């Protein structure tokens, strides 16, 4: 982004972007790429583990116990989330005024909110009864729907995140 005239937009966004941290992120040869790599690693862990579990919810590899798979993949997703949030905030700070106007970024944030809401609904609903599904077999319809919705939303998060650079 060209900052020769300075960033424009709401004051709080300009303040974030022109802060010492924002300036450091933009001017450092290594810091911004490092943050970006960590963000991508976090996304891979988060969405990769979620996608694997979602596919199980949708009926793929029904012989694998869903509860055991959940115990394996949920901590991986949590580590990914712990990487994604702070690195995403740092990436946002570096270009806050442009990102706040970027349609792909706004879609990404909206889809992420919906995806997290879907996660919460799953864990409050069908996911609470995961032990009742037995060691294998097909999850109940509510779990299958939650898995399909989750997979679509998280793929949307990835796709819109990638499109940020082009809009």
């Amino acid at each position: 982004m060209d900052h020769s005239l300075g960033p424009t937009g709401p004051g709080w966004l300009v303040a974030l972007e022109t802060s010492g941290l924002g300036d450091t992120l933009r001017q450092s040869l290594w810091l911004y790429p490092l943050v970006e790599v960590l963000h991508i690693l976090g996304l891979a862990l988060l969405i990769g583990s979620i996608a694997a579990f979602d596919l199980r919810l949708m009926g793929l590899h029904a012989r694998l116990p869903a509860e055991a798979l959940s115990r394996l993949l949920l901590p991986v997703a949590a580590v990914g989330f712990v990487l994604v949030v702070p690195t995403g905030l740092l990436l946002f700070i570096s270009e806050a005024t442009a990102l706040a106007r970027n349609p792909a970024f706004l879609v990404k944030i909206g889809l992420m909110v919906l995806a997290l809401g879907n996660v919460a609904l799953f864990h409050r609903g069908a996911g609470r009864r995961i032990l009742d599904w037995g060691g294998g077999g097909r999850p109940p319809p509510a779990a299958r729907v939650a898995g399909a919705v989750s997979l679509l939303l998280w793929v949307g998060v990835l796709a819109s995140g990638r499109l940020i650079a082009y809009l």
Side-chain angles (χ1 to χ4, degrees):
M1 174 172 200
D2 179 17
H3 288 285
S4 59
L5 299 175
T8 59
W12 70 276
L13 291 173
V14 172
L16 273 177
E17 191 170 318
T18 59
S19 68
L21 181 56
D23 288 340
T24 300
L25 284 161
R26 281 188 309 282
Q27 294 171 8
S28 171
L29 179 63
W30 297 105
L31 185 57
Y32 187 91
L34 174 64
V35 170
E36 201 166 35
V37 166
L38 290 173
H39 191 68
I40 292 167
L41 175 62
L43 284 169
L45 293 171
L46 174 66
I47 297 175
S49 59
I50 288 173
F53 188 67
D54 287 344
L55 291 171
R56 171 60 184 94
L57 289 180
M58 293 165 56
L60 193 66
H61 296 292
R63 290 189 309 255
L64 291 174
E67 194 272 335
L69 196 57
S70 174
R71 279 187 284 124
L72 172 69
L73 295 175
L74 186 58
V76 175
V79 168
F81 190 77
V82 166
L83 277 173
V84 164
V85 171
T87 57
L89 288 171
L90 289 171
L91 294 172
F92 178 77
I93 288 168
S94 72
E95 295 185 66
T97 57
L99 287 171
R101 294 186 302 262
N102 186 305
F105 175 77
L106 298 174
V107 167
K108 176 182 178 175
I109 297 303
L111 291 174
M112 198 175 342
V113 168
L114 291 173
L116 291 171
N118 186 62
V119 169
L121 286 174
F122 172 77
H123 285 287
R124 287 181 173 262
R128 293 183 90 161
R129 297 180 300 278
I130 198 167
L131 289 174
D132 296 340
W133 305 351
R138 208 165 145 104
R144 293 194 306 269
V145 168
V149 168
S150 174
L151 190 58
L152 287 172
L153 288 170
W154 286 111
V155 168
V157 168
L158 279 178
S160 56
R162 186 63 198 116
L163 289 173
I164 290 170
Y166 300 101
L167 298 178

